[in-house]
Amino acid sequence: WIKETRGRLAQSERGAAEARLKLLQAQIEPHFLFNTLANLQMLIGSDPKRAQAMLGHLDGYLRATLASTRKDKCTLAEEFALMRGYLEILAIRMGPRLAYSIDLPDALANAKLPPMLLQPLAENAIKHGLEPKMDGGKLRVAASAEGRQLVLIVEDSGLGFGAAATSGTGVGLLHVKERLAAVYGDAATAEIGETEGGGVRITLRLPWQE
């Protein structure tokens, strides 16, 4: 009886964790979508070619996102493809004020992780670090391995840790920490720090699963 009760409790906890992951994703996605639609509306009248390019990227991004969020895990290749589509949309909006780089070694392409884990970090980096900066800056997304751990980095050359800490980056990082804890428990970590140039770097460490 005790064993059966524990099994039911564990199943209930897993169900609650999965529901919380879906809720966290739902909290993140509409903000980006509504902002993009507002930008599209503006560009349609002022720059139809850019509007058409943005619409094409948005269509591809939403299709890939829908497929990704129907799964509990995605590959790093899929996650980085989503990131590239997301950043292409923002690069159209910001123009030369946004540069970005994405570094995914081939050996890590099939590693598994929760879908859309990196987007809220990139979104915060741009919103709070790069957009308010007069000349913008660069966003870097990179993956590497340390033993059997994946190391994922999202860093910017924006306004810096002080500005980010007081303007909302902590909320996005908290969401990511909660998702990592729900999936990996204590086996995953998320840390925030400064880059050499004064921007913000967020480092995620999680088990390497294929």
Side-chain angles (χ1 to χ4, degrees):
W1 176 82
I2 294 177
K3 184 176 181 181
E4 183 179 351
T5 301
R6 287 177 177 173
R8 290 178 178 175
L9 180 60
Q11 185 176 2
S12 176
E13 289 176 349
R14 285 195 298 270
E18 290 172 0
R20 184 158 181 77
L21 293 184
K22 296 298 182 183
L23 175 60
L24 290 173
Q25 288 176 349
Q27 290 174 337
I28 294 167
E29 294 165 13
H31 179 265
F32 165 70
L33 179 59
F34 294 150
N35 280 351
T36 301
L37 291 175
N39 291 325
L40 269 173
Q41 187 176 23
M42 179 185 67
L43 285 175
I44 286 172
S46 62
D47 194 336
K49 288 186 177 180
R50 286 178 66 200
Q52 187 175 12
M54 180 181 280
L55 185 59
H57 286 302
L58 179 61
D59 177 71
Y61 172 79
L62 291 177
R63 289 176 185 274
T65 298
L66 183 60
S68 179
T69 53
R70 286 173 173 168
K71 300 183 291 186
D72 293 331
K73 296 284 184 69
C74 69
T75 66
L76 263 182
E78 291 169 333
E79 179 77 356
F80 273 52
L82 280 174
M83 285 299 304
R84 187 177 297 278
Y86 171 75
L87 292 172
E88 282 289 342
I89 293 170
L90 292 177
I92 292 174
R93 187 180 78 192
M94 294 179 63
R97 295 182 60 241
L98 174 62
Y100 72 86
S101 66
I102 294 178
D103 181 15
L104 174 61
D106 292 339
L108 302 180
N110 291 324
K112 295 292 185 70
L113 74 166
M116 298 188 69
L117 189 67
L118 300 179
Q119 178 176 320
L121 303 180
E123 184 175 359
N124 279 327
I126 291 171
K127 181 179 179 182
H128 303 298
L130 298 178
E131 275 193 322
K133 192 175 180 181
M134 185 68 68
D135 55 351
K138 184 175 182 178
L139 181 75
R140 174 176 172 259
V141 183
S144 61
E146 294 181 0
R148 294 304 299 175
Q149 271 196 328
L150 286 178
V151 180
L152 307 177
I153 292 176
V154 178
E155 64 180 14
D156 65 76
S157 61
L159 293 177
F161 183 74
T166 58
S167 59
T169 295
V171 175
L173 182 58
L174 178 61
H175 285 172
V176 171
K177 285 183 175 180
E178 289 181 357
R179 293 188 66 195
L180 289 176
V183 176
Y184 302 107
D186 295 333
T189 61
E191 300 175 351
I192 185 170
E194 287 187 307
T195 66
E196 292 183 2
V200 173
R201 176 189 294 114
I202 295 178
T203 304
L204 308 183
R205 299 177 186 273
L206 56 147
W208 182 354
Q209 301 175 346
E210 292 195 21

